[in-house]
Amino acid sequence: APAPRERRRGGGAGACTTTKKDAASPAPRLAPGTLVPATVVATHALHVDLVLGPDAPAPGARARLHVTEAEGGTLVSVGTATDVVILGPMATPAGRAHGVWEVTTRAGPVQAARDAGGVGPGDALKAGRPPTPADLTPGTAVVGFVQSATPDAAWVALSPTVRARLHVLDEADSPEEVASFPARHPVGARVSATVARVDGARGDVDLSTRVVLGAAPPPPPSATPTPTKGRKRSRSTKIDPALPLGTPVLGIVRSIGGGGVRVQVGRHSYGRAALTDLADGWVANALAGLAPGVGVMAVPVGAAPAAGADAPLSLRASDGGWTPGGAKEREDTPAAAAAVAAAVAALGPAGPP
């Protein structure tokens, strides 16, 4: 047979040459569940890079340990030797092989592999695993780690491939909490929250730290995957987080009509204050100072009458509410006005997207 054709890189007598046969040689395959020794060679905010040890089936191969796959959510330092379990090849968003192995140090898979003499059963990899997109439904409790944060939202990694958004209005109640939101969510911080909305078509997941009453409901019929040009996509499904009854929350006026003032109190949550719940007594104009985009302190006074409906709110000062037009009703109006205005400004001119 003819010799493989050489490919030359560089020039001169010391140039490096490889053959097409060498270049096409695949990396050794590692079965999911395989226990291998590895050493940490680099650390990052949410993962560490490792190199498989000399006794591994693929010595010198690279691997990644994501914080959501680390036992206890703890990443070890450079130079640490540890046993890891192979999950599979790490893939790009397009699905192509990355040449790096995804690994875990979760206690379940590691112990199962040791008990089995090196390669644990496939079911052991599912024990305590981070959620996949198919696992996420509105009402699901999750734990993740902050990947990045802005004044109005934090992106939270729920697994090596799934991230979700925690909007400030779904976590903060007061203007002061809005102002301190980025500082309270540094990169790497652990976040416990509830899935509030899943948009299967766009792949968006929204979280809330507000209490969600009851168990997670089954997806409504509208969430059933429907074929679209040969592909199946899930529509948006959501659950309305329970607002803290009697506790003032920051909100943004979105519309005003005969039915009252509609106020946004979360990224996808709204409430409505009746015209009779804007002031404690007679006023010449109950809507003074109110307009779309204006910040208010609204007080939830009851649950929404139906899923997706607006929750009843009060803007009365006696209930703890505040509006720009209620200047005569509270002594702390100048300070409250400044705090609310600053919080709304931090969200941008249009508020939550």
Side-chain angles (χ1 to χ4, degrees), residues 114-203:
R114 287 174 177 160
D115 293 343
V119 181
D123 290 345
L125 296 178
K126 301 178 181 179
R129 71 175 184 183
T132 66
D135 298 327
L136 298 176
T137 57
T140 302
V142 294
V143 174
F145 298 84
V146 175
Q147 189 174 31
S148 62
T150 61
D152 64 342
W155 288 98
V156 181
L158 303 181
S159 77
T161 58
V162 179
R163 73 172 189 166
R165 172 173 34 210
L166 174 63
H167 195 273
V168 62
L169 290 185
D170 288 311
E171 191 264 2
D173 294 336
S174 69
E176 293 76 17
E177 290 177 339
V178 170
S180 63
F181 182 83
R184 289 185 288 107
H185 296 83
V187 173
R190 184 190 296 264
V191 173
S192 297
T194 301
V195 176
R197 176 177 176 270
V198 177
D199 187 333
R202 298 178 59 184

Side-chain angles (χ1 to χ4, degrees), residues 7 19-27:
R7 183 175 60 192
T19 65
K20 291 185 66 176
K21 180 179 179 181
D22 294 335
S25 298

Side-chain angles (χ1 to χ4, degrees), residues 13-88:
C16 175
T17 60
T18 60
T19 65
K20 291 185 66 176
K21 180 179 179 181
D22 294 335
S25 298
R29 298 294 298 174
L30 294 173
T34 302
L35 183 70
V36 295
T39 301
V40 176
V41 295
T43 61
H44 306 273
L46 296 183
H47 74 275
V48 296
D49 298 328
L50 308 98
V51 171
L52 303 191
D55 297 331
R62 295 177 298 151
R64 178 184 78 161
L65 173 63
H66 194 266
V67 63
T68 57
E69 286 288 355
E71 176 64 18
T74 301
L75 296 174
V76 294
S77 57
V78 172
T80 302
T82 182
D83 287 339
V84 300
V85 170
I86 299 294
L87 294 174

Side-chain angles (χ1 to χ4, degrees), residues 266-293:
R267 187 167 186 266
H268 296 283
S269 300
Y270 295 83
R272 188 178 298 274
L275 296 178
T276 55
D277 286 323
L278 304 182
D280 286 314
W282 183 89
V283 292
N285 181 8
L287 298 176
L290 296 177

